[in-house]
Amino acid sequence: MTTTAHAPATGRTAFLAAFLWSLTALPLALWQLASPGAGPFTNPTERQAIAFPEAFPDALAPSLLLAAGVGGLLLARAKPRLWPLTAAYAVVFALLVPTLTLLIMAGYLSAFLMPAALIAGPVLSARGAGWRVAAAVLVLAGIGALAVQGTLDPSTLADLLDELGGGLVDLGVYPLTEVWSAVGGACWAAVTVELLRRRGVERPRGPWTSPERAAKWGKAAAYTAFACSLPYGLTRLTWLTPWPYLLDAEELAANPDVRLWGLLLGFACLAGGVLCLGLVRRWGERWPYWVPRLRGRPVPPRVAIVPAGVVAYLFTLAGISFPIMAVREGEPEFLLLFPFPVWGPALAAATAAYAIRCSAAESGAAA
């Protein structure tokens, strides 16, 4: 099997990555220990999902991180029987340390890409020159309407960019530590999988991993992930109506930059939901007709698997911290808008099914 042939090389890479990651934990821990109030792990937003009680000394967390870094250097050469320890590292650094900062930044990055997608998408997807001209006219009419309304007023755009830039400056280096923690969790998860493989715990593949079965449960998972994107995306679209949800119409009228951010984030969420369907539709396997130069060609599996896997990982992380924060802040109804505990695993399952089907197709082509 191709998977078995590449397993040793993949395993060595995982151990090396975990070792290097543990090495970086030492200076980060010492930095935080020397500057408890301004170190890299000091979250300016104070939105930690799992926080130490205030009675604990400030030196406790960086001391534990220092010990974890030393322990990680030793575990990077762990025997298979120590897989519970590497699994604990994966759980702590992937699920308990990160907050929603990574997800929020990814959401705003996606929102930045939305203007180009919303302008070019309808024109490219229209069939025929006449329909493309009509789509272009509609896009220009929509831009004009939003400009007249004030949502696309130059001053609104300036306020939006100023707010975003100020927010990034306030966060400082903290987002980088969240990236570091999430990467570490992924490294230790890969090490754990490799240790289980070496121990022989991994059982022969069940019938559910066949391409036919994967197509069925992958389709259910993809449509579930798509459905999870609808509550937030459709809620943001109500901001275009006189009956907005979550905010008052007067507040939105007085803050057009808030309306613009909300619309961009809502469209980004809905676009992500549509892309989930690409994992089970033909246009996720072959470039659709509206993609210049690539139309009709096979889609390289990594083009879909890598971004979908990253987003599924971020949503799964949020599935731990977001419910805790929602309950702690007395707003559990937000889980209906952001069903991350379902969203992340569903997208991960859809991505796994897509990978299984692509692997089987490549094996059949090679044969």
Side-chain angles (χ1 to χ4, degrees):
M1 296 285 292
T2 304
T3 303
T4 304
H6 289 286
T10 305
R12 287 193 295 271
T13 302
F15 281 102
L16 177 60
F19 177 85
L20 294 176
W21 180 87
S22 300
L23 200 60
T24 62
L26 304 181
L28 288 176
L30 292 175
W31 182 2
Q32 185 68 33
L33 195 61
S35 304
F41 288 93
T42 302
N43 187 350
T45 64
E46 298 181 355
R47 299 178 67 177
Q48 290 90 342
I50 307 295
F52 286 103
E54 295 183 359
F56 287 6
D58 293 336
L60 177 60
S63 298
L64 292 176
L65 179 59
L66 188 64
V70 174
L73 295 176
L74 301 176
L75 280 177
R77 297 181 60 86
K79 301 296 182 181
R81 66 176 180 273
L82 295 179
W83 69 265
L85 292 179
T86 61
Y89 268 64
V91 169
V92 170
F93 289 102
L95 299 181
L96 300 184
V97 172
T99 64
L100 295 176
T101 301
L102 288 181
L103 184 63
I104 292 172
M105 294 186 67
Y108 280 107
L109 176 61
S110 301
F112 261 118
L113 301 177
M114 276 299 99
L118 291 174
I119 293 173
V123 177
L124 291 175
S125 59
R127 287 183 179 272
W131 286 109
R132 288 185 179 179
V133 170
V137 170
L138 289 175
V139 168
L140 291 176
I143 294 175
L146 291 175
V148 171
Q149 182 195 36
T151 300
L152 293 183
D153 186 85
S155 61
T156 300
L157 297 176
D159 291 341
L160 183 148
L161 294 176
D162 182 66
E163 180 182 353
L164 179 64
L168 290 176
V169 170
D170 292 339
L171 284 175
V173 299
Y174 178 76
L176 297 179
T177 61
E178 292 235 347
V179 173
W180 173 84
S181 182
V183 168
C187 291
W188 286 111
V191 168
T192 303
V193 171
E194 174 61 15
L195 291 179
L196 291 174
R197 187 192 67 80
R198 293 182 181 182
R199 196 182 182 204
V201 172
E202 186 178 49
R203 298 178 180 178
R205 293 184 176 182
W208 61 275
T209 61
S210 67
E212 295 77 13
R213 290 283 190 89
K216 293 181 179 179
W217 55 261
K219 185 176 183 179
Y223 276 90
T224 299
F226 169 74
C228 288
S229 71
L230 296 179
Y232 177 77
L234 296 179
T235 294
R236 291 302 195 190
L237 293 187
T238 64
W239 290 12
L240 288 172
T241 72
W243 310 279
Y245 184 68
L246 295 180
L247 290 179
D248 295 330
E250 294 78 7
E251 184 176 355
L252 286 176
N255 299 278
D257 57 320
V258 174
R259 186 198 301 271
L260 180 56
W261 265 129
L263 293 177
L264 291 177
L265 290 170
F267 279 120
C269 186
L270 292 175
V274 172
L275 290 177
C276 291
L277 299 181
L279 297 172
V280 293
R281 302 298 294 270
R282 177 175 172 78
W283 54 268
E285 299 174 0
R286 289 190 174 274
W287 294 106
Y289 69 91
W290 48 267
V291 178
R293 298 181 180 274
L294 295 176
R295 59 174 61 94
R297 297 183 182 181
V299 176
R302 290 185 180 181
V303 171
I305 293 173
V306 172
V310 171
V311 174
Y313 184 41
L314 290 177
F315 284 1
T316 302
L317 301 189
I320 300 297
S321 57
F322 185 79
I324 295 174
M325 292 181 184
V327 173
R328 189 167 59 193
E329 295 177 7
E331 297 176 331
E333 66 276 8
F334 272 22
L335 287 172
L336 299 177
L337 287 178
F338 304 97
F340 291 124
V342 177
W343 203 345
L347 181 54
T351 306
Y354 179 87
I356 290 173
R357 288 168 35 236
C358 289
S359 179
E362 291 179 350
S363 299

